[in-house]
Each structure stands twice: as C-alpha cells, then as structure tokens.
Amino acid sequence: MPWLTAEEALQALKTKPQTLYANVSRGRIRAKPDPADPRRSLYQAADVQRLAERHAGRRKAETVAAESIRWGDPVLSSAISTIIAGRLFYRGRDAAEFAEAATLEQTAALLWNGAETLFSGTGSGNAPPSLHAAFLALADRVTADLPSLGRSQAALRREARGVLSTIADALAPGPADQPLHLRLAASWERPDAADCLRRALVLLADHELNASAFAARVTASAGAALSAAVLSGLATLTGPLHGAAWQGVDALIESSSALGAEQAIRRSLVQGNHLSPFGHPLYPDGDIRALALLSHFSLPPQFAELRETGEEMVGEKVNVDFTLAAMAAAFDLPREAPIIIFSLARSTGWLAHAMEQIESGALIRPRARYAGPAPQMKSGA
C-alpha cells in the first residue's frame, strides 16, 4: 500500500496543510506515523488521488460509485458502528472500552438499539462448536421464518434473539443460563480462556459496512427473513479476505517454523503474497481490536517472533486476524476457533444491520457498468 509524504500529498491535492489535516480527521485520507520520523505522517496515496481527482472535476458519477465500494466514501447511512481516528465505536460507545466488562449479550442489546432484555439462548445440544452445524441450522430456519418486511422493530428484535439462539446452539453449545463466552470456553474445556473470549466476542461484534455486513443488508433489503440475512453474512465471512484470514496467519507461522520469521516473510513478499497478519486499511496506527486483546494473554514464542520481525519488515502492526490465531494457539483451542469466535460475534452485527436496513425500507439495487460485447440492436428498434 503506497504512502505519500505531506509534501507529496499537498502537491497532489493543490491545497493547504489545514485542508489535508481536516481530510484526515474526517476519515477521507488515511494516515500513519512515518517509520523514519515518528514526528511526521505519511498519507495513503489512493485516498489522496481520489480526492485530487474529485477536486479537479475529472470523476464521473459512475467512477465515484465504482470507487466507493473499494474502501472509498460511505455509500449508505448507519447508526450502528463507525471507525474514527483509529477507534471503533458502537452507537457512539468506544468498543475497546466497552469490551473491558461487557458480554456479547450486552453488546447485542446495544447494537440492536433494543431494551435490556438480554439474549440467553436455549442451551440445547452437547456437540462441539461447529460452523457446519450453524449453516445447517440457519438454512432450516430460512424456509420457516417469516419475511422481514411489514413487521415492527420490536417483533424483529424478538426474532433476532431467536436467530442468535440458533447460532449459539451450534457455535457455543451449553446451559441456557450461562453467558456465551463461558459456554464457548466450557465447550472447548478451556475455562482459562473465558475472559479473552469475552473480550474478543465484544470487539468482533460489528465493524461498520464490511463485506459480510453488506451482504446481510442486501439480503434483508429484499425482504428476506433475518435468518437469511445472517446466512448471507456467514457465507461471506468464510472468504480468505475476510473472516478466514486467520488461515493465512497459520500458514505464515508454519513457514516461520521451518525457515525463521524473517525468511518466511521475505519469501512471501518476493512472491507477491498478501500478508494477512499485518495492517488494516482503516487503522493506519494499528488495529485497535488487536491492541485491546494482545495485552490480555501471552504470545506464544513463534507468534511473538513473527510480530516483532513482521512489524519491522512490513511497516504495519499486527491486526485482529493475527490476534485471533495467536489467542487460539496460546490457549490451545481447536484450529478452527478463530472462525467460530468471529462468526458467533459478528452474528449480532449482521442482525443489527439487517434490522436497520429493513427499517429504512430501501432495496439495495445498484446498477452495473456494462463492459461486454456491443448489444445487437434490431433495426428500427
């Protein structure tokens, strides 16, 4: 990801330093400290170019729309969460501070903007946490649940609790009177991991308009059931550029074990591979979710070496994908633990986005810019 100095950014924007700093504070241009001089900042080149082209009046409406879906300008309104100045907020509350004491159930109540009637789950089933079981359970609900349009927010919140109960029974089976982080820790027979699991679940509950949240909103906008929206989100989360990025972390750890961290990273960079443990476009100073979790468990030696070496070589701090993989290793959790944690947590966010989209009454239906063969038009048409 190329970065520009202040002088280069100002030359491209043809503006004053105050305007550059204002664009940074408003989230239009991402910035990070210059590794060579922490007193100075570097600015994300793509953001600078986008604003420069806008000011020059060279961008057509279709170009604006195309760029907006690639970490660009906001495309729809939401009151659920936002990222400002490197901090994540849930309905105005700092998520990292909220995670100090909150549970996922309390986070759901906050995100859903509902009464403090907290989810408790049904507690059915004794099988280990299973993503496969979550897919099957949601698919069963989709064919039976009512469409979402034409129903009150109170009715939708009641159904959301039921949908989350269905997911929890698959991903965190256990007694109904226990919080989900305790159920998850008990199902893995790792009670010492309970507090870190609680923090991770809260910190991963929502993350603005990410790919899976957008998928859930598109589904809900068509009037489909809440369970269908969550199923869309869950399917999207399994992609290696989203919730399954922890697999790339594990692969780099395996390579580091064989070659050493420096050689493993060097080989990945030479091959042009994406290094999933490092950096996040919305957190130029470091993923706040990772920073909030890393101080609550000891990194296994291989992860500590990878972090230290990688942050120096890449120039980016480790992110939440690295942290989830490291946490799973630190507490000897099952290999698929990161995607289980991510899925259970983010289900609350998908439900929040689905209900907000339904309340808006708008169908998400963008137009495509056709780039295929010229249409064969009939004469006289």
Side-chain angles (χ1 to χ4, degrees):
M1 181 181 294
W3 297 86
L4 304 177
T5 64
E7 292 76 12
E8 291 169 335
L10 290 171
Q11 184 178 4
L13 290 169
K14 295 181 174 59
T15 188
K16 298 178 181 179
Q18 295 89 333
T19 305
L20 173 62
Y21 305 146
N23 280 318
V24 172
S25 67
R26 293 168 185 162
R28 294 172 180 167
I29 296 177
R30 285 160 283 180
K32 70 173 184 178
D34 187 341
D37 185 356
R39 295 170 299 178
R40 297 168 59 87
S41 294
L42 297 177
Y43 303 90
Q44 220 289 311
D47 295 343
V48 171
Q49 181 181 1
R50 184 174 64 250
L51 282 180
E53 290 178 352
R54 174 187 297 172
H55 295 158
R58 292 196 295 268
R59 294 203 313 169
K60 296 181 179 179
E62 62 208 40
T63 305
V64 174
E67 291 183 356
S68 292
I69 64 173
R70 298 194 301 270
W71 303 99
D73 292 334
V75 298
L76 54 80
S77 297
S78 176
I80 299 169
S81 70
T82 190
I83 300 150
I84 299 176
R87 306 292 296 189
L88 172 63
F89 296 89
Y90 294 159
R91 293 197 181 273
R93 298 193 62 172
D94 188 298
E97 294 178 2
F98 190 63
E100 286 295 314
T103 63
L104 183 61
E105 291 86 339
Q106 291 168 326
T107 309
L110 174 62
L111 295 178
W112 299 353
N113 206 23
E116 292 294 319
T117 303
L118 301 181
F119 162 81
S120 60
T122 66
S124 61
N126 296 309
S130 167
L131 195 65
H132 179 69
F135 273 108
L136 293 178
L138 284 170
D140 282 344
R141 284 197 66 124
V142 168
T143 58
D145 288 351
L146 289 172
S148 56
L149 292 183
R151 302 169 66 196
S152 72
Q153 284 291 303
L156 290 174
R157 281 196 293 269
R158 286 195 298 271
E159 183 162 309
R161 287 193 289 271
V163 174
L164 186 55
S165 172
T166 297
I167 299 165
D169 286 342
L171 300 181
D177 60 349
Q178 284 192 355
L180 291 175
H181 65 279
L182 293 181
R183 286 169 53 168
L184 190 54
S187 67
W188 284 327
E189 299 181 350
R190 294 294 183 270
D192 56 331
D195 186 63
C196 275
L197 289 172
R198 178 190 62 76
R199 293 172 186 272
L201 289 171
V202 173
L203 289 164
L204 289 167
D206 195 58
H207 204 235
E208 204 206 57
L209 195 61
N210 55 83
S212 57
F214 189 67
R217 290 189 80 116
V218 171
T219 303
S221 78
L226 290 180
S227 52
V230 175
L231 186 58
S232 294
L234 186 61
T236 306
L237 189 74
T238 61
L241 297 183
H242 197 4
W246 62 273
Q247 293 178 328
V249 180
D250 276 2
L252 194 55
I253 285 291
E254 291 178 7
S255 180
S256 297
S257 299
L259 304 173
E262 181 177 351
Q263 286 303 315
I265 293 170
R266 185 180 299 276
R267 187 173 71 172
S268 292
L269 290 173
V270 169
Q271 292 174 345
N273 296 332
H274 171 67
L275 293 178
S276 56
F278 304 100
H280 192 290
L282 298 180
Y283 299 105
D285 295 327
D287 190 334
I288 188 61
R289 300 166 299 172
L291 296 174
L293 275 173
L294 285 168
S295 60
H296 295 282
F297 67 93
S298 297
L299 280 177
Q302 288 181 328
F303 283 86
E305 181 189 7
L306 182 65
R307 179 188 185 185
E308 181 179 0
T309 305
E311 287 185 345
E312 181 178 351
M313 292 179 66
V314 179
E316 300 275 7
K317 295 182 179 178
V318 292
N319 54 33
V320 77
D321 301 309
F322 170 90
T323 306
L324 284 178
M327 190 172 77
F331 291 103
D332 194 25
L333 303 179
R335 185 174 183 272
E336 70 277 8
I339 192 67
I340 296 290
I341 297 166
F342 214 147
S343 301
L344 179 59
R346 193 56 59 86
S347 295
T348 62
W350 296 329
L351 287 162
H353 281 279
M355 289 185 283
E356 185 179 65
Q357 187 63 41
I358 293 161
E359 189 174 26
S360 77
L363 173 68
I364 298 176
R365 203 300 189 186
R367 295 294 308 276
R369 185 174 67 251
Y370 182 67
Q376 299 293 317
M377 304 294 292
K378 293 183 179 179
S379 59

mmCIF file of all heavy atoms in Angstrom, residues 22 91 98 107 145 156 195 210 248 286 353 375-376:
data_model
loop_
_atom_site.group_PDB
_atom_site.id
_atom_site.type_symbol
_atom_site.label_atom_id
_atom_site.label_comp_id
_atom_site.label_asym_id
_atom_site.label_seq_id
_atom_site.Cartn_x
_atom_site.Cartn_y
_atom_site.Cartn_z
ATOM 1 N N ALA A 22 -7.649 18.314 7.867
ATOM 2 C CA ALA A 22 -9.099 18.195 8.034
ATOM 3 C C ALA A 22 -9.619 16.934 7.356
ATOM 4 O O ALA A 22 -10.489 16.233 7.885
ATOM 5 C CB ALA A 22 -9.801 19.425 7.464
ATOM 6 N N ARG A 91 -22.537 2.509 18.365
ATOM 7 C CA ARG A 91 -23.562 3.504 18.709
ATOM 8 C C ARG A 91 -22.996 4.589 19.626
ATOM 9 O O ARG A 91 -23.586 4.968 20.633
ATOM 10 C CB ARG A 91 -24.783 2.832 19.341
ATOM 11 C CG ARG A 91 -25.539 1.931 18.367
ATOM 12 C CD ARG A 91 -26.935 1.593 18.831
ATOM 13 N NE ARG A 91 -27.599 0.714 17.879
ATOM 14 C CZ ARG A 91 -28.298 1.118 16.812
ATOM 15 N NH1 ARG A 91 -28.409 2.407 16.560
ATOM 16 N NH2 ARG A 91 -28.876 0.232 16.007
ATOM 17 N N PHE A 98 -15.736 -0.552 26.019
ATOM 18 C CA PHE A 98 -16.924 -1.351 26.307
ATOM 19 C C PHE A 98 -16.547 -2.805 26.560
ATOM 20 O O PHE A 98 -17.135 -3.486 27.407
ATOM 21 C CB PHE A 98 -17.884 -1.251 25.117
ATOM 22 C CG PHE A 98 -19.257 -1.822 25.360
ATOM 23 C CD1 PHE A 98 -20.092 -1.285 26.327
ATOM 24 C CD2 PHE A 98 -19.721 -2.893 24.604
ATOM 25 C CE1 PHE A 98 -21.359 -1.809 26.546
ATOM 26 C CE2 PHE A 98 -20.978 -3.417 24.810
ATOM 27 C CZ PHE A 98 -21.810 -2.873 25.783
ATOM 28 N N THR A 107 -23.642 -6.539 24.277
ATOM 29 C CA THR A 107 -23.281 -5.891 23.014
ATOM 30 C C THR A 107 -24.426 -6.005 22.016
ATOM 31 O O THR A 107 -24.725 -5.054 21.284
ATOM 32 C CB THR A 107 -22.008 -6.525 22.429
ATOM 33 O OG1 THR A 107 -20.988 -6.552 23.426
ATOM 34 C CG2 THR A 107 -21.514 -5.747 21.221
ATOM 35 N N ASP A 145 -39.025 -19.233 8.638
ATOM 36 C CA ASP A 145 -39.200 -17.897 9.214
ATOM 37 C C ASP A 145 -39.984 -16.984 8.281
ATOM 38 O O ASP A 145 -39.936 -17.122 7.050
ATOM 39 C CB ASP A 145 -37.838 -17.264 9.514
ATOM 40 C CG ASP A 145 -37.145 -17.917 10.698
ATOM 41 O OD1 ASP A 145 -37.793 -18.739 11.381
ATOM 42 O OD2 ASP A 145 -35.961 -17.604 10.931
ATOM 43 N N LEU A 156 -39.107 -7.804 15.237
ATOM 44 C CA LEU A 156 -37.845 -8.225 14.633
ATOM 45 C C LEU A 156 -36.779 -8.479 15.697
ATOM 46 O O LEU A 156 -35.979 -9.418 15.576
ATOM 47 C CB LEU A 156 -37.362 -7.178 13.639
ATOM 48 C CG LEU A 156 -38.176 -7.056 12.341
ATOM 49 C CD1 LEU A 156 -37.692 -5.887 11.508
ATOM 50 C CD2 LEU A 156 -38.127 -8.349 11.532
ATOM 51 N N ASP A 195 -12.175 -15.112 29.717
ATOM 52 C CA ASP A 195 -12.165 -13.649 29.678
ATOM 53 C C ASP A 195 -11.684 -13.130 28.328
ATOM 54 O O ASP A 195 -12.235 -12.150 27.807
ATOM 55 C CB ASP A 195 -11.290 -13.087 30.794
ATOM 56 C CG ASP A 195 -11.389 -11.568 30.869
ATOM 57 O OD1 ASP A 195 -12.495 -11.066 31.137
ATOM 58 O OD2 ASP A 195 -10.375 -10.894 30.618
ATOM 59 N N ASN A 210 -18.615 -3.737 6.530
ATOM 60 C CA ASN A 210 -17.685 -4.707 5.960
ATOM 61 C C ASN A 210 -18.413 -5.603 4.962
ATOM 62 O O ASN A 210 -19.641 -5.508 4.789
ATOM 63 C CB ASN A 210 -17.054 -5.535 7.085
ATOM 64 C CG ASN A 210 -18.112 -6.183 7.939
ATOM 65 O OD1 ASN A 210 -18.629 -7.239 7.597
ATOM 66 N ND2 ASN A 210 -18.470 -5.556 9.055
ATOM 67 N N GLY A 248 -4.330 -17.690 6.705
ATOM 68 C CA GLY A 248 -3.091 -17.139 6.182
ATOM 69 C C GLY A 248 -2.065 -16.888 7.280
ATOM 70 O O GLY A 248 -0.863 -17.030 7.067
ATOM 71 N N GLY A 286 -2.572 0.999 13.694
ATOM 72 C CA GLY A 286 -2.714 -0.309 14.314
ATOM 73 C C GLY A 286 -4.166 -0.636 14.617
ATOM 74 O O GLY A 286 -4.931 0.220 15.080
ATOM 75 N N HIS A 353 -27.537 -4.871 11.394
ATOM 76 C CA HIS A 353 -27.577 -4.271 10.054
ATOM 77 C C HIS A 353 -28.841 -4.672 9.311
ATOM 78 O O HIS A 353 -29.440 -3.853 8.596
ATOM 79 C CB HIS A 353 -26.342 -4.684 9.261
ATOM 80 C CG HIS A 353 -25.122 -3.900 9.611
ATOM 81 N ND1 HIS A 353 -24.865 -2.647 9.098
ATOM 82 C CD2 HIS A 353 -24.090 -4.183 10.450
ATOM 83 C CE1 HIS A 353 -23.724 -2.192 9.587
ATOM 84 N NE2 HIS A 353 -23.235 -3.110 10.412
ATOM 85 N N PRO A 375 -24.365 -4.634 -27.674
ATOM 86 C CA PRO A 375 -25.678 -5.245 -27.888
ATOM 87 C C PRO A 375 -26.060 -5.260 -29.359
ATOM 88 O O PRO A 375 -25.805 -4.292 -30.091
ATOM 89 C CB PRO A 375 -26.615 -4.357 -27.064
ATOM 90 C CG PRO A 375 -25.730 -3.694 -26.052
ATOM 91 C CD PRO A 375 -24.422 -3.497 -26.745
ATOM 92 N N GLN A 376 -26.681 -6.355 -29.790
ATOM 93 C CA GLN A 376 -27.126 -6.482 -31.171
ATOM 94 C C GLN A 376 -28.529 -5.903 -31.265
ATOM 95 O O GLN A 376 -29.537 -6.563 -30.980
ATOM 96 C CB GLN A 376 -27.135 -7.960 -31.594
ATOM 97 C CG GLN A 376 -25.768 -8.615 -31.516
ATOM 98 C CD GLN A 376 -24.808 -8.031 -32.531
ATOM 99 O OE1 GLN A 376 -25.159 -7.802 -33.681
ATOM 100 N NE2 GLN A 376 -23.568 -7.766 -32.080
#
